[in-house]
């Protein structure tokens, strides 16, 4: 079993930045693909970003337009999501996910999920 705990969410003004963290426990993270998803009230859960176990390759939703960056520190069993130039449309609960598979392309590949952390962007 893997436990994922997100943190770093909160209220920020449009144009500001936040860095989300996802701390993993229960098993090693270094060989697991990790990803971030988000879900606004009444909306579908959408893919945000993912990163391979090595941290060398990452990929993003095209809609983010380079504003978000995913990274990981395997020594700390932690994955990060740096969010810059935040917009009100980014308001959502952000979820961390992990996959036994080498890549995450969608929710289908995700085996473990965190509880989520709320991000609210005011205008």
């Amino acid at each position: 079993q893997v436990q994922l705990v997100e943190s770093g969410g909160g209220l920020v003004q449009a144009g500001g930045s936040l860095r989300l963290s996802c701390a993993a426990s229960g098993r090693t993270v270094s060989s697991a693909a990790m990803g971030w998803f988000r879900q606004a009230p009444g909306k579908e859960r959408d893919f945000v970003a993912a990163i391979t176990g090595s941290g060398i390759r990452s990929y993003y939703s095209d809609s983010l337009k380079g504003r978000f960056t995913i990274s990981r520190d395997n020594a700390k069993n932690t994955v990060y999501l740096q969010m810059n130039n935040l917009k009100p449309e980014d308001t959502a609960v952000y979820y961390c996910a992990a996959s036994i598979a080498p890549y995450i392309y969608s929710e289908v590949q995700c085996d473990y999920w965190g509880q989520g952390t709320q991000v609210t962007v005011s205008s």
Side-chain angles (χ1 to χ4, degrees), residues 3 11 17 20 31-32 45 47-48 50 54 64 71-72 77 79-80 92 94 97 103 108 112 114 121-122:
Q3 293 80 47
L11 176 64
S17 299
L20 306 183
S31 62
R45 184 160 57 186
F47 171 77
V48 174
S54 66
L64 297 180
S71 62
R72 66 190 301 162
N77 295 323
V79 177
Y80 305 95
Y94 284 71
Y103 298 101
V108 176
Y112 307 98
V121 183
S122 64

Side-chain angles (χ1 to χ4, degrees), residues 100-112:
I100 300 175
Y103 298 101
I104 292 178
Y105 302 103
S106 70
E107 296 183 24
V108 176
Q109 289 78 42
C110 298
D111 300 296
Y112 307 98

Side-chain angles (χ1 to χ4, degrees), residues 70-90:
I70 189 171
S71 62
R72 66 190 301 162
D73 185 342
N74 288 344
K76 298 181 178 180
N77 295 323
T78 301
V79 177
Y80 305 95
L81 183 68
Q82 179 67 45
M83 305 184 294
N84 298 323
N85 191 25
L86 285 163
K87 304 176 180 179
E89 294 76 25
D90 296 318

Side-chain angles (χ1 to χ4, degrees), residues 9-104:
L11 176 64
V12 64
Q13 294 184 2
S17 299
L18 286 173
R19 188 177 74 162
L20 306 183
S21 299
C22 175
S25 62
R27 65 172 292 173
T28 59
V29 182
S30 61
S31 62
M34 303 288 292
W36 288 94
F37 295 76
R38 67 185 185 183
Q39 185 172 27
K43 303 293 185 180
E44 299 287 335
R45 184 160 57 186
D46 295 325
F47 171 77
V48 174
I51 190 169
T52 59
S54 66
I56 296 176
R57 182 178 294 275
S58 59
Y59 40 102
Y60 304 86
S61 169
D62 291 338
S63 64
L64 297 180
K65 301 178 181 179
R67 295 183 296 114
F68 290 10
T69 302
I70 189 171
S71 62
R72 66 190 301 162
D73 185 342
N74 288 344
K76 298 181 178 180
N77 295 323
T78 301
V79 177
Y80 305 95
L81 183 68
Q82 179 67 45
M83 305 184 294
N84 298 323
N85 191 25
L86 285 163
K87 304 176 180 179
E89 294 76 25
D90 296 318
T91 296
V93 177
Y94 284 71
Y95 296 92
C96 178
S99 175
I100 300 175
Y103 298 101
I104 292 178

